């Protein structure tokens, strides 16, 4: 087991397409129905992962014959043609909730004895509702350790069937399992659901797969299903790509503000998790529902309130996406996901908090109050939950130093997840529309200047300090005694002053390297920079500057948003306010800590709220909190990301 994986951010928006593996839910339903069917079924697009291996082992133990072609992702399964004969075997469902909840009623419908068991994690997940339903049908079940939990011994002598009630607010898997065993009951089965079922689309998927294998389920009303005694017949079935797995890549499109297409899914999908795409649409992403594909293009996204009861497996993806939204996002209707692989609400709250996200855990959901400026890397616990690993990895696409512990837990449903994510890494040479510029924006004191200078040296590229240009105009105004509020006079100065920015800053022939950093210049410069006419003069000069030299590292406040929105690599450098103040305090002997802090707050406010070119995190920019890191660490991380972008 590998101990951890550190995600290297993309550094730019991703554009690409992904082939996601077959749906776990679809595969495991098809495997079981094929195992119970008369004849040989052919399945394609099958998922091979821990959860489906558990089901494959289980159906083999029950006597189904399986021929695999793992390269082609196909299976031929010759079924039992009815309920199983049990020979006291133990069926190990590993950590697979679907395998265990689907197999238990099938065992109950058989003849003989068997034991159902699983991993420690599965042993702690609930089974009580299904056990109660099967007991009410006359089956003898014995939990050998804790009531309502695995391991369970089954003494089966067929099921007469009839009518049962099932509580459905913990897991829809209980209903799906009972439905799949229902045609094996002598008199068939009528299922009455108590309460509003969670994840209802999964029940619909079960019915659809059963229908494909020749068994009809009648839905009398929203809570009553009738299954007559019948036989499954072998069939040919193509498993759909996994819509939950696809959610991570749609999330990647939105988070990096790029564009991702997933083939093999469209509006006709039988997977409820496809609804995640509609949520992204509501958040402001551009969604194309194609014929045989879905494409999501990210833009700035807003927040909103979303009930995910029907597609809760995408809640963690949505929470990760929400960290990059422009306003609050609330997810509700998912209290029951506390009983999944882990308490997913508690886990997501703990891990996002570590990354600087303000998140509140509610009884039935999550409230996320995003602020991109505060995002930071962290070591992420994954709680043996594949969805924790996959969703939290998405933060790493824009935030350096997201370290995922026990990344192999993705093997449960998506062994190639990290390779697929890596496949979306943008490559400079595939784009003709980008400028060879590394854009570094960020607030005062974030370490921008030092980082930009050292990164330029490390990569052998020119360095451009655009802040020095605005400072030079402020100094020219100070020298000439021009009123800072006189916008026209300042603009005239910006046009006429000769500014040279190289090793030294020279203004109209006079060295001003120190002069541009005096407290007086500091005071004036944000007003100068907030003057739109001054920007109209200086921004074209900045573009020309970089273009003439064939690109380089350019730092400022609007490089990724205004000056070079098509920059090859964009960075938003930030740090805690207190740390930024300390850095500034150490640089200047003339100010007290209190006045440095006040000055920084004021400048953050002016820079980020001014009407013209406010300081914003540029689309797709890496958000790098340098608090607690050395300059060398920051430079080395950025150089690595850059090299990833330009690698062949
Ligand atoms: O990065 P600095 O502190 O030297 O920047 C000086 C001022 O200029 C600061 O108030 C932000 C502003 N500035 C800007 O508006 N746009 C830029 N591209 C660079 C700096």
């Amino acid at each position: 087991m590998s101990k951890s994986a550190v995600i290297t951010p993309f550094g730019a928006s991703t554009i690409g397409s992904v082939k996601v593996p077959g749906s776990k839910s679809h595969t495991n339903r098809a495997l079981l129905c094929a195992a119970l069917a008369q004849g040989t079924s052919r399945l394609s697009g099958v998922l091979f992962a821990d959860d489906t291996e558990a089901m494959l082992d289980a159906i083999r133990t029950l006597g189904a014959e399986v021929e695999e072609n793992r390269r082609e992702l196909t299976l031929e399964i010759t079924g039992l043609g009815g309920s199983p004969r049990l020979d006291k075997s133990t069926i190990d469902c590993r950590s697979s909730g679907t395998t265990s909840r689907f197999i238990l009623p099938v065992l109950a419908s058989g003849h003989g004895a068997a034991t159902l068991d699983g991993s420690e994690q599965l042993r702690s997940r609930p089974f009580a509702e299904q056990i109660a339903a099967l007991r009410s049908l006359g089956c003898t079940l014995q939990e050998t350790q804790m009531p309502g939990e695995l391991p369970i011994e089954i003494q089966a002598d067929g099921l007469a069937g009839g009518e049962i009630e099932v509580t459905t607010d913990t897991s829809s898997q209980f209903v799906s399992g009972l439905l799949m065993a229902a045609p094996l009951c002598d008199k068939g089965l009528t299922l009455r659901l108590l309460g509003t079922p969670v994840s209802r689309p999964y029940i619909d998927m079960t019915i659809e797969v059963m229908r494909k294998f020749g068994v009809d389920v009648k839905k009398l009303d929203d809570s009553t299903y009738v299954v007559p005694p019948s036989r499954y017949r072998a069939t040919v079935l193509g498993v759909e790509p996994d819509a939950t797995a696809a959610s991570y890549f749609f999330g990647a499109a939105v988070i990096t503000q790029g564009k991702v297409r997933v083939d093999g899914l469209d509006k006709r999908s039988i997977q409820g998790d496809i609804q995640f795409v509609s949520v992204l649409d509501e958040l402001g992403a551009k969604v194309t529902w194609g014929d045989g594909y879905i494409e999501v293009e990210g833009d700035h996204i807003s927040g909103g309130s979303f009930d995910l009861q029907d597609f809760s497996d995408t809640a963690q993806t949505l929470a990760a996406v929400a960290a990059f939204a422009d306003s609050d996002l609330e997810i509700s209707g998912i209290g029951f996901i506390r009983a999944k692989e882990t308490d997913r609400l508690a886990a997501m709250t703990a891990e996002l908090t570590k990354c600087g996200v303000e998140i509140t855990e509610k009884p039935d959901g999550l409230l996320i109050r995003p602020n991109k400026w505060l995002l930071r890397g962290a070591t992420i616990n994954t709680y043996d939950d594949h969805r924790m690993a996959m969703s939290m990895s998405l933060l790493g696409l824009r935030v350096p130093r997201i370290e995922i512990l026990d990344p192999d837990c993705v093997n449960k449903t998506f062994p190639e997840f990290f390779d697929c994510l890596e496949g979306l890494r943008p490559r400079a040479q595939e784009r003709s529309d980008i400028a060879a510029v590394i854009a570094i924006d960020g607030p005062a004191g974030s370490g921008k200047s030092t980082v930009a200078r050292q990164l330029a040296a490390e990569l052998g590229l020119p360095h451009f300090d655009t802040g020095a240009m605005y400072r030079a105009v402020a100094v020219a105004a100070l020298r000439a005694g021009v009123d800072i509020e006189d916008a026209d006079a300042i603009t005239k100065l910006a046009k006429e002053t000769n500014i040279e920015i190289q090793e030294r800053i020279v203004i109209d022939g006079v060295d001003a390297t120190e002069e541009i950093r005096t407290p007086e210049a500091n005071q004036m410069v944000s007003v100068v920079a907030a003057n739109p006419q001054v920007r109209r003069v200086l921004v074209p000069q900045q573009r020309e500057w970089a273009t003439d030299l064939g690109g380089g590292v350019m730092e400022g406040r609007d490089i990724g948003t205004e000056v070079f929105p098509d920059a090859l690599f964009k960075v938003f450098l930030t740090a805690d306010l207190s740390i930024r103040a300390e850095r500034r305090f150490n640089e200047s002997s003339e100010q007290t800590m209190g006045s440095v802090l006040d000055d920084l707050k004021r400048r953050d406010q002016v820079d980020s709220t001014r009407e013209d070119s406010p300081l914003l995190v540029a689309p797709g920019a890496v958000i790098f909190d340098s608090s607690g890191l050395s300059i060398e660490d920051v430079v080395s991380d950025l150089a690595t990301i850059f090299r990833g972008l330009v690698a062949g």
Side-chain angles (χ1 to χ4, degrees), residues 448 466-467 470-471 525-526 529 535 556-558 603 607 610:
K448 231 172 346 91
T466 61
Y470 294 95
R471 287 175 177 274
V525 68
S526 44
R535 305 194 78 85
R557 297 292 191 286
D558 60 343
R603 288 179 57 191
D607 289 348
R610 68 186 180 206

Side-chain angles (χ1 to χ4, degrees), residues 502-523:
Q502 272 154 26
E503 269 303 289
R504 314 281 307 165
I505 314 294
V506 181
I507 302 172
D508 286 333
V510 181
D511 192 302
T513 314
E514 276 79 40
E515 206 180 345
I516 64 163
R517 310 232 170 246
T518 58
E520 294 74 35
N522 278 350
Q523 278 291 322

Side-chain angles (χ1 to χ4, degrees), residues 422-564:
E422 195 52 38
L424 280 180
R425 182 172 299 282
R427 303 279 177 203
Q429 67 269 42
E430 288 165 12
R431 306 277 307 276
S432 55
D433 55 333
I434 48 177
V437 165
I438 300 179
I440 304 190
D441 294 303
S446 57
K448 231 172 346 91
S449 294
T450 326
V451 166
R453 194 168 298 112
Q454 291 196 15
L455 182 64
E458 162 89 21
L459 300 174
L461 297 172
H463 165 237
F464 311 97
D465 175 2
T466 61
M469 270 195 175
Y470 294 95
R471 287 175 177 274
V473 176
V475 166
L478 276 168
R479 283 186 188 170
V482 170
D483 178 6
I484 197 73
E485 302 297 341
D486 186 345
D488 290 339
I490 299 283
T491 309
K492 192 161 178 290
L493 269 181
K495 281 187 189 149
E496 292 171 1
T497 307
N498 186 332
I499 306 168
E500 289 170 49
I501 299 176
Q502 272 154 26
E503 269 303 289
R504 314 281 307 165
I505 314 294
V506 181
I507 302 172
D508 286 333
V510 181
D511 192 302
T513 314
E514 276 79 40
E515 206 180 345
I516 64 163
R517 310 232 170 246
T518 58
E520 294 74 35
N522 278 350
Q523 278 291 322
M524 286 181 85
V525 68
S526 44
V527 182
V528 170
N531 178 338
Q533 297 175 64
V534 170
R535 305 194 78 85
R536 293 296 86 76
V537 176
L538 297 189
V539 165
Q541 290 180 21
Q542 292 160 10
R543 290 194 186 120
E544 215 177 285
W545 190 15
T547 312
D548 283 353
L549 285 173
V553 182
M554 183 170 266
E555 53 157 308
R557 297 292 191 286
D558 60 343
I559 311 304
T561 49
E562 285 291 328
V563 185
F564 284 107

Side-chain angles (χ1 to χ4, degrees), residues 236-467:
V236 175
L237 181 144
V239 173
E240 288 187 5
D242 194 297
T244 327
S247 78
Y248 305 110
F249 303 107
F250 295 137
V254 171
I255 286 174
T256 69
Q257 293 170 264
K259 187 157 72 173
V260 174
R261 168 181 166 143
V262 175
D263 288 317
L265 286 172
D266 59 24
K267 273 226 157 80
R268 291 165 296 195
S269 167
I270 58 170
Q271 298 171 74
D273 283 9
I274 213 78
Q275 291 176 62
F276 176 73
V277 178
S278 305
V279 172
L280 296 181
D281 193 349
E282 277 190 57
L283 292 178
K286 188 172 157 229
V287 174
T288 308
W289 292 93
D291 185 8
Y293 72 94
I294 300 171
E295 188 170 80
V296 172
E297 188 171 352
D299 200 339
H300 283 286
I301 51 161
S302 61
S305 273
F306 301 95
D307 183 334
L308 260 65
Q309 186 181 52
D310 281 351
F311 47 110
S312 68
D313 273 349
T314 63
Q316 290 146 295
T317 323
L318 183 58
V321 166
F324 297 87
D326 290 335
S327 52
D328 297 355
L329 191 147
E330 183 156 17
I331 308 174
S332 61
I334 53 168
F336 63 96
I337 73 170
R338 293 179 186 283
K340 296 277 184 167
E341 279 79 344
T342 186
D343 177 342
R344 286 181 168 167
L345 298 184
M348 214 55 200
T349 304
E351 301 313 311
L352 280 176
T353 301
K354 283 184 195 166
C355 301
V357 180
E358 191 183 328
I359 174 167
T360 310
E361 183 184 341
K362 305 260 175 134
D364 81 330
L366 299 168
L367 171 64
I368 295 124
R369 297 181 186 280
N371 180 350
K372 291 197 270 291
W373 281 44
L374 302 180
L375 293 176
R376 56 171 185 260
T379 301
I380 305 301
N381 287 317
T382 48
Y383 308 82
D384 205 7
D385 180 4
H386 53 138
R387 304 214 181 282
M388 283 306 295
M390 295 191 276
S391 56
M392 291 302 297
S393 294
L394 297 180
L395 268 84
L397 301 183
R398 289 194 59 185
V399 180
R401 301 187 170 231
I402 295 285
E403 181 182 14
I404 306 290
L405 295 177
D406 185 19
D408 289 349
C409 66
V410 302
N411 290 344
K412 188 172 202 288
T413 54
F414 197 167
E416 318 82 17
F417 171 74
F418 290 103
D419 292 338
C420 284
L421 199 59
E422 195 52 38
L424 280 180
R425 182 172 299 282
R427 303 279 177 203
Q429 67 269 42
E430 288 165 12
R431 306 277 307 276
S432 55
D433 55 333
I434 48 177
V437 165
I438 300 179
I440 304 190
D441 294 303
S446 57
K448 231 172 346 91
S449 294
T450 326
V451 166
R453 194 168 298 112
Q454 291 196 15
L455 182 64
E458 162 89 21
L459 300 174
L461 297 172
H463 165 237
F464 311 97
D465 175 2
T466 61

Side-chain angles (χ1 to χ4, degrees), residues 125-164:
R125 290 177 67 178
F127 286 81
E129 289 90 338
Q130 209 178 38
I131 295 171
L134 291 170
R135 282 195 179 127
S136 78
L137 283 174
C139 183
T140 306
L141 301 165
Q142 183 65 53
E143 301 99 307
T144 59
Q145 289 185 12
M146 300 291 286
E149 292 182 1
L150 297 181
I152 302 168
E153 284 177 2
I154 300 108
Q155 295 287 340
D157 193 16
L159 289 175
E163 204 171 305
I164 49 167

